């Protein structure tokens, strides 16, 4: 199923411009991850779903630097998108609803979760 995954940007109020998928759903990074390696597995990956590549190389939408996009292979064999070496995730409580940023500044699974700026760093602004 599915075509190539798209990383795009959206305006998110006090957070400014953040990374989203091609449908406008917020993407997050996990401060406990190391470059190009996810430390979120098991129950963590159920709450914070990895943004996986359905098929083909990731596509850079408007406002996204394509050179920052890459993929990694997770321990379960799936392919997860990264941006500036940060593995990208959805937050389950956002319910895949565009504009929801419930995961911002959460402290779960041993680290903090943040939205991501188009520059490829954690957006630590308060929602």
């Amino acid at each position: 199923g599915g075509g190539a995954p798209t990383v795009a940007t959206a305006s998110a109020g006090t957070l400014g411009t953040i990374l989203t998928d091609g449908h406008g759903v917020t993407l997050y990074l996990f401060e406990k991850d190391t470059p190009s390696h996810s430390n979120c597995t098991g129950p963590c990956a159920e709450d914070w779903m990895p943004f996986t590549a359905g098929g083909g190389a990731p596509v850079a939408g408007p406002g996204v630097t394509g050179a920052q996009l890459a993929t990694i292979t997770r321990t379960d064999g799936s392919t997860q998108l990264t941006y500036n070496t940060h593995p990208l995730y959805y937050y389950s409580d956002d319910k895949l609803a565009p504009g929801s940023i419930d995961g911002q500044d959460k402290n779960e699974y041993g680290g903090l979760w943040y939205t991501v700026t188009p520059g490829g760093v954690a957006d630590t602004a308060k929602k």
Side-chain angles (χ1 to χ4, degrees):
T6 300
V7 176
T9 60
S11 178
T14 55
L15 301 184
T17 301
I18 61 170
L19 296 187
T20 66
D21 72 2
H23 304 286
V25 180
T26 303
L27 297 170
Y28 299 89
L29 62 76
F30 184 30
E31 288 214 314
K32 195 178 172 187
D33 285 347
T34 51
S36 300
H37 178 80
S38 169
N39 288 312
C40 177
T41 58
C44 176
E46 294 173 22
D47 286 339
W48 298 89
M49 296 101 64
F51 182 34
T52 53
V59 174
V64 172
T65 306
Q68 303 237 46
L69 279 175
T71 59
I72 57 171
T73 301
R74 293 179 54 81
T75 52
D76 65 3
S78 63
T79 301
Q80 183 173 8
L81 270 69
T82 65
Y83 192 76
N84 190 24
T85 77
H86 294 291
L88 298 174
Y89 304 86
Y90 293 114
Y91 181 46
S92 59
D93 284 8
D94 282 344
K95 312 286 188 218
L96 297 182
S100 179
I101 51 170
D102 284 348
Q104 176 68 354
D105 202 24
K106 286 269 186 196
N107 188 344
E108 290 187 355
Y109 297 99
L112 288 163
W113 297 83
Y114 290 113
T115 52
V116 188
T117 72
V121 298
D123 185 336
T124 57
K126 300 296 181 192
K127 61 179 178 183

